[in-house]
């Protein structure tokens, strides 16, 4: 009967053996045709039946340009329901806290210690040659702070970073020691300098992760479609490469395909006799992707971003650790929130407003289903966002969170009334202002003459 046919339709997709190899193109085409027929049949069933079918077969999955099924499991992550962190990962940010006076050094690089969550790690640096054999500078402060790491030095190779705090040098605690004594400890020690260093959200800038967007021509190799097709490609900060038929499809449609770049081989390709061509060979599978850019500069931009995705940095910034911990807490257990209450968020794909109980803390907006819900449903990293009051549709007062670049998402929030909106806008601006781009923090820091020791 119809119900049993509908149940069968649900179970049709995602067989592991549907991904065809390049050596069996005919089988791939047959599978493509069968899945196409299954998709159309399921559409007929849903149009004749009284209830809808939530089939996991999609037009995009069976209409793959290379006659292969797409692993839909990669699409299960919904950024709107989790933490949206893309802008945070696309640039380097440091935390200055409440010290926002322009006459003072940003707290991220100041002398004043403050109790924050510190993550410790051990750094071992092999002694080089010359007057400064280790290749870094430390600041006269308590705790001692690393203010410069020389390019291509032993310190850089060992992973020492600007903003690291010196906790111990060659087994001796230096947290309350003058920086000159710590320097002497290092000079008198062995040729392998062993240091315990700490990083926190105020002094440890995050490392940008790759994000890249733009049109590329992709070479298709199937028996049905041959040649080059212009597609909109999006490299996410999580190292996955998405592509769409058009730019306008991003955020509205499922990507035609998603490819994990970690461990892949990438490089310029000259075998096709076409300029600005580069290739990507993912670690999983035996497939080769060929891309063509519009210029040499554009090709280099993509290769640099993809190379970072191929060799990702897996260590979380300490701020990510802090926010992940906070999500496990009940809303009112997050200490010293800057604002809290009900907010409605616009789901632009469905044009509906979804209510959340929200907590604002240090540039992060946490979303909960209700006041008593645990854990948090997700949230937004607001570094770099611009807050303003706008009118949207029938609502005359809406909070707009606009990113610094068009490639990132704009968010719309609405409180219970106009006065509540104004309260949230004031709090959001102050919270976002606690973060500085790294280049601005360093510039502010360099404008202050401080005593340093070069190692």
């Amino acid at each position: 009967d119809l119900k049993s046919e509908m149940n069968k339709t649900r179970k049709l997709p995602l067989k592991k053996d549907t991904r065809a190899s390049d050596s069996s193109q005919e089988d791939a085409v047959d599978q493509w045709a069968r899945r196409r027929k299954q998709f159309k049949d399921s559409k007929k069933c849903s149009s004749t039946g009284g209830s809808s079918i939530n089939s996991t077969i999609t037009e995009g999955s069976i209409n793959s340009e290379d006659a292969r099924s797409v692993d839909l499991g990669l699409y299960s992550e919904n950024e709107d329901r989790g933490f949206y962190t893309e802008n945070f990962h696309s640039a380097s940010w440091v935390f200055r806290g409440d010290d926002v006076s322009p006459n003072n050094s940003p707290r991220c690089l100041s002398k004043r210690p403050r109790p924050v969550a510190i993550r410790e790690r051990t750094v071992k640096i092999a002694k080089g040659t010359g007057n400064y054999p280790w290749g870094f500078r430390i600041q006269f402060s308590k705790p001692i702070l690393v203010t410069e790491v020389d390019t291509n030095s032993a310190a850089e190779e060992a992973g020492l970073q600007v903003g690291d705090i010196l906790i111990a040098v060659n087994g001796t605690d230096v947290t309350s020691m003058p920086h000159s004594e710590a320097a002497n400890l290092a000079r008198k020690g062995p040729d392998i300098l062993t240091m315990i260093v700490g990083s926190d959200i105020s002094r440890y800038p995050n490392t940008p992760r790759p994000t890249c967007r733009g049109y590329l021509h992709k070479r298709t190799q199937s028996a049905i479609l041959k040649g080059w097709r212009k597609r909109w490609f999006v490299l996410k900060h999580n190292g996955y490469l998405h592509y769409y038929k058009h730019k306008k499809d991003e955020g509205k449609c499922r990507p035609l395909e998603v490819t994990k770049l970690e461990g892949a081989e990438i490089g310029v390709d000259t075998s096709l006799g076409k300029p600005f061509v580069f290739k990507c060979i993912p670690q999983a599978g035996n497939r080769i992707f060929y891309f063509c850019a519009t210029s040499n500069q554009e090709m280099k931009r993509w290769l640099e971003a993809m190379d970072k995705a191929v060799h990702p940095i897996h260590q979380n910034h300490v701020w990510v650790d802090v926010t992940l911990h906070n999500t496990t807490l009940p809303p009112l257990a997050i200490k010293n929130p800057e604002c809290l209450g009900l907010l409605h968020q616009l789901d632009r794909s469905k044009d509906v407003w979804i209510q959340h109980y929200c907590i604002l803390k240090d540039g992060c907006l946490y979303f909960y289903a209700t006041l008593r819900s645990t854990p948090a449903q997700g949230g937004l990293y607001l570094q770099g966002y611009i807050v303003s009051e706008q009118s949207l549709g029938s609502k005359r007062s809406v909070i707009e969170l606009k990113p610094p670049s068009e490639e990132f998402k704009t968010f719309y929030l609405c409180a219970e009334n106009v006065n509540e909106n104004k309260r949230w806008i004031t709090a959001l601006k102050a919270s976002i202002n606690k973060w500085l781009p790294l280049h601005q923090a360093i510039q502010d820091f360099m404008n202050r003459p401080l005593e340093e020791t070069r190692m």
Side-chain angles (χ1 to χ4, degrees):
D1 60 20
L2 181 59
K3 183 173 287 187
S4 63
E5 289 299 321
M6 289 162 60
N7 290 332
K8 289 178 183 177
T9 306
R10 286 195 183 95
K11 299 176 183 177
L12 286 173
L14 300 182
K15 291 183 179 179
K16 292 183 179 180
D17 60 352
T18 57
R19 190 175 292 273
S21 65
D22 289 329
S23 62
S24 58
Q25 286 292 339
E26 291 183 3
D27 291 342
V29 175
D30 290 341
Q31 289 170 357
W32 181 89
R34 286 197 299 271
R35 291 174 66 81
R36 179 80 179 179
K37 184 176 183 301
Q38 291 165 359
F39 175 80
K40 289 182 177 179
D41 290 345
S42 68
K43 285 288 188 183
K44 289 177 184 178
C45 288
S46 65
S47 64
T48 57
S51 59
S52 62
I53 300 176
N54 295 321
S55 171
T56 50
I57 301 178
T58 67
E59 184 77 33
S61 69
I62 63 174
N63 197 21
S64 174
E65 294 179 318
D66 293 319
R68 293 174 172 83
S69 64
V70 179
D71 183 4
L72 297 182
L74 294 173
Y75 305 140
S76 60
E77 180 184 358
N78 185 340
E79 287 180 335
D80 291 328
R81 293 187 179 181
F83 271 90
Y84 185 73
T85 65
E86 198 165 5
N87 189 49
F88 175 79
H89 288 307
S90 69
S92 293
W93 299 90
V94 288
F95 186 74
R96 62 176 176 178
D98 298 316
D99 184 17
V100 295
S101 171
N103 298 321
N104 295 323
S105 169
R107 192 182 291 272
C108 57
L109 295 172
S110 72
K111 296 180 181 181
R112 289 170 292 176
R114 64 192 283 270
V116 291
I118 293 180
R119 182 176 57 205
E120 297 180 6
R121 69 187 194 280
T122 300
V123 174
K124 294 185 177 182
I125 305 175
K127 189 175 184 179
T129 58
N131 295 328
Y132 311 108
W134 286 290
F136 66 96
R137 290 177 186 265
I138 55 176
Q139 175 189 315
F140 175 63
S141 60
K142 289 185 180 181
I144 300 168
L145 187 68
V146 176
T147 56
E148 185 178 342
V149 178
D150 295 343
T151 303
N152 298 324
S153 65
E156 184 184 60
E157 186 177 342
L160 193 67
Q161 299 195 37
V162 172
D164 281 339
I165 302 164
L166 265 60
I167 297 173
V169 174
N170 292 332
T172 302
D173 188 305
V174 297
T175 52
S176 58
M177 185 181 291
H179 81 300
S180 56
E181 292 184 24
N184 287 332
L185 272 177
R187 294 189 183 106
K188 295 176 182 179
D191 289 344
I192 301 294
L193 175 62
T194 303
M195 300 188 298
I196 297 176
V197 299
S199 57
D200 62 48
I201 62 173
S202 66
R203 294 185 172 94
Y204 181 57
N206 60 303
T207 303
R209 299 181 187 175
T211 54
C212 202
R213 284 171 168 81
Y215 278 107
L216 291 171
H217 284 82
K218 173 182 168 294
R219 189 185 184 207
T220 60
Q221 304 176 27
S222 72
I224 299 176
L225 302 170
K226 291 186 178 180
W228 296 85
R229 297 289 186 272
K230 186 178 180 181
R231 295 292 180 256
W232 177 256
F233 283 85
V234 179
L235 175 58
K236 300 276 189 176
H237 65 73
N238 60 6
Y240 283 88
L241 182 67
H242 301 233
Y243 77 87
Y244 305 82
K245 194 171 184 179
H246 304 291
K247 178 180 179 179
K248 63 182 181 181
D249 296 337
E250 183 187 350
K252 297 180 180 178
C253 306
R254 287 183 172 180
L256 296 173
E257 192 156 358
V258 177
T259 303
K260 183 180 180 181
L261 294 189
E262 182 177 356
E265 295 180 30
I266 61 168
V268 178
D269 184 85
T270 57
S271 64
L272 301 177
K274 190 176 175 69
F276 317 133
V277 172
F278 56 103
K279 64 182 178 182
C280 172
I281 308 174
Q283 193 174 41
N286 57 356
R287 188 174 174 195
I288 303 177
F289 291 92
Y290 292 93
F291 307 107
C292 183
T294 55
S295 65
N296 190 52
Q297 183 178 0
E298 184 72 0
M299 180 179 69
K300 286 183 177 179
R301 181 175 77 94
W302 275 101
L303 285 173
E304 287 176 4
M306 292 173 74
D307 184 65
K308 292 178 182 178
V310 168
H311 306 97
I313 299 171
H314 289 291
Q315 186 181 34
N316 274 346
H317 181 263
V318 67
W319 176 235
V320 178
D321 294 341
V322 170
T323 54
L324 289 177
H325 170 71
N326 285 346
T327 61
T328 65
L329 303 175
L332 299 183
I334 296 178
K335 295 181 179 179
N336 304 318
E338 293 142 18
C339 200
L340 50 85
L342 292 175
L343 282 176
H344 294 80
Q345 180 195 359
L346 176 62
D347 183 339
R348 304 185 73 178
S349 63
K350 299 176 182 177
D351 197 24
V352 296
W353 292 85
I354 302 172
Q355 180 177 284
H356 304 287
Y357 190 84
C358 296
I359 301 288
L360 178 64
K361 172 70 175 174
D362 292 337
C364 184
L365 186 63
Y366 300 86
F367 292 151
Y368 291 85
T370 67
L371 176 61
R372 294 175 177 81
S373 298
T374 304
Q377 293 175 315
L380 306 176
Y381 280 19
L382 298 172
Q383 290 84 353
Y385 271 78
I386 299 171
V387 186
S388 64
E389 186 176 22
Q390 303 288 343
S391 60
L392 188 67
S394 60
K395 293 183 180 293
R396 288 181 294 176
S397 178
V398 171
I399 304 168
E400 181 186 65
L401 297 173
K402 192 171 184 178
S405 173
E406 289 184 358
E407 64 184 292
F408 305 124
K409 292 183 180 180
T410 299
F411 294 91
Y412 295 94
L413 304 170
C414 186
E416 298 299 308
N417 53 57
V418 175
N419 289 334
E420 276 292 286
N421 270 354
K422 293 184 184 299
R423 181 175 72 92
W424 273 102
I425 288 173
T426 302
L428 286 164
K429 287 181 178 179
S431 191
I432 292 171
N433 204 30
K434 292 184 176 184
W435 291 87
L436 277 178
L438 175 62
H439 65 86
Q440 183 181 338
I442 291 177
Q443 186 62 46
D444 291 349
F445 170 72
M446 295 301 290
N447 289 336
R448 292 187 62 195
L450 294 172
E451 184 181 348
E452 292 182 318
T453 296
R454 187 167 181 178
M455 304 293 291

